[in-house]
Amino acid sequence: MKAFTYERVTTPADAVEAFRKAPGSRYLAGGTNLIDLMKLGIESPAHLIDVNHIGLDSVEKTADGGLRIGAMARNSDVAIDDRVRSDYPVLARALLSGASGQLRNKASVGGNLLQRTRCLYFYSGNLPCNRRNPGSGCAAIGGFSRSLAVIGGSDSCIATHPSDMAVALRVLDAKVETVRPDGDARSMPLADLHALPGETPHIETALSPGELIMAIVLPPPIGGVQRYLKLRDRASYAFANVSVAVIAHFEDCDLSAVRVAFGGLAPKPWRVEAAEEVTSAAVSIERLTEVALHGATPTRDNEYKLPLARRALSALIDDARAGKG
């Protein structure tokens, strides 16, 4: 790990001001990803701004009946919040499927959104990676790609996004509130936060330098039967090969409306709203996944993900139907 300086701040305003004075700094929250990356030399910020004492750790009801989750709230605390469990159970289920109990106790929801890919080639210091070293190439393309993207990638990068929480937030139509170093605040749909790699895979989010996530905002509850399923190589402490977040509504036992987001398939949480419309007349999981994953370009190593995603969604809908009400 390269030497760095450290600064602890106590307000969001102090945090962005500290960044303004030291461009290129990194905010330190739970550190569950950043510190590992620094140990490996993948990240080497000259200055760390510790934001663990700026507040923003509460879960509050919004005026319209939604929830505002402070960016520094810990994953474990959000997962057991009574309002999250009752009104947004897909989020609670996704949070509890991530990492380990120890990591969930430390990780912040803001940091969770910004964790970087777990692509093995990204973590290798000896192989080219456009995400780690822009313009160097992508060793994953043509390499072992079992865990990598089947859709949304590019000729420059086929890494996947690792977050479980973000998949659930995507299906909930969450928004992200931020503040920039110049003091400007903004709100953006979570759908716009994560970027597809294109020719610039090193640009992973829509955040500008030093922009600090303040909160995640959930809209008022929409009801439905909510489920999250994560399929991985071992029962815990592993990233998803395929994950699915579902919010399903039924009329009697017939599926009348559904929202679906996939994880483990793409460089960002993958939801295609147009695919959900195919359920309005005749429900067909086959057709929904076909539309949602149209244009997928799997490799021999990861082509298993497409039928796995379809079967996972089908199983999840059946489970939701059995548990409706």
Side-chain angles (χ1 to χ4, degrees):
M1 184 182 290
K2 293 184 178 179
F4 59 90
T5 53
Y6 168 89
E7 176 181 11
R8 177 180 291 177
V9 294
T10 55
T11 69
D14 288 344
V16 293
E17 175 63 12
F19 184 91
R20 192 187 64 77
K21 292 178 178 177
S25 300
R26 292 296 306 271
Y27 296 124
L28 175 66
T32 56
N33 187 206
L34 177 60
I35 298 302
D36 283 345
L37 294 171
M38 291 175 66
K39 290 176 179 176
L40 293 169
I42 297 170
E43 297 250 18
S44 54
H47 187 63
L48 285 185
I49 303 168
D50 185 341
V51 295
N52 280 288
H53 300 275
I54 62 173
L56 305 181
D57 56 357
S58 61
V59 180
E60 301 172 338
K61 195 169 184 177
T62 61
D64 66 357
L67 279 185
R68 177 178 285 103
I69 303 170
M72 293 307 303
R74 304 298 163 173
N75 286 13
S76 293
D77 293 333
V78 177
I80 64 171
D81 184 277
D82 288 342
R83 294 158 295 186
V84 173
R85 294 177 62 191
S86 63
D87 295 336
Y88 310 94
V90 65
L91 176 57
R93 289 168 183 254
L95 283 165
L96 292 174
S97 73
S100 64
Q102 293 90 338
L103 287 170
R104 292 194 294 269
N105 290 341
K106 187 66 177 175
S108 67
V109 295
N112 188 302
L113 289 178
L114 301 182
Q115 61 178 312
R116 306 190 71 183
T117 182
R118 263 58 178 185
C119 173
L120 295 176
Y121 296 95
F122 173 77
Y123 279 82
S124 169
N126 300 318
L127 296 170
C129 172
N130 288 319
R131 192 172 286 254
R132 169 169 39 81
N133 185 15
S136 63
C138 176
I141 297 175
F144 182 62
S145 54
R146 181 175 181 273
S147 64
L148 299 177
V150 297
I151 195 167
S154 71
D155 292 339
S156 297
C157 180
I158 55 172
T160 52
H161 192 272
S163 172
D164 293 291
M165 182 191 76
V167 179
L169 292 177
R170 181 69 179 86
V171 83
L172 287 166
D173 282 336
K175 293 185 177 181
V176 179
E177 294 181 345
T178 70
V179 62
R180 292 171 164 148
D182 62 6
D184 283 352
R186 66 169 172 160
S187 173
M188 74 176 83
L190 182 83
D192 297 339
L193 175 63
H194 299 107
L196 291 178
E199 296 179 353
T200 55
H202 59 291
I203 301 175
E204 299 176 4
T205 72
L207 300 182
S208 56
E211 190 167 2
L212 178 69
I213 294 179
M214 300 283 285
I216 295 167
V217 179
L218 300 175
I222 66 165
V225 184
Q226 303 186 14
R227 293 288 188 272
Y228 185 80
L229 177 63
K230 180 177 182 178
L231 301 173
R232 45 190 163 178
D233 287 340
R234 57 176 183 266
S236 67
Y237 198 40
F239 296 96
N241 295 321
V242 172
S243 64
V244 189
V246 164
I247 301 177
H249 294 263
F250 297 90
E251 292 181 1
D252 296 324
C253 288
D254 295 329
L255 186 63
S256 58
V258 65
R259 295 184 183 183
V260 178
F262 294 99
L265 300 182
K268 60 186 292 184
W270 195 257
R271 181 182 176 199
V272 179
E273 279 83 346
E276 298 163 4
E277 297 174 3
V278 305
T279 64
S280 59
V283 176
S284 167
I285 302 305
E286 188 83 21
R287 179 61 178 158
L288 191 156
T289 50
E290 179 185 340
V291 175
L293 303 178
H294 177 71
T297 55
T299 68
R300 184 181 62 181
D301 296 330
N302 63 19
E303 61 185 358
Y304 74 95
K305 289 190 174 188
L306 296 179
L308 187 62
R310 183 172 59 252
R311 292 167 187 163
L313 176 59
S314 180
L316 214 52
I317 294 294
D318 286 345
D319 183 65
R321 181 181 288 107
K324 68 184 180 70

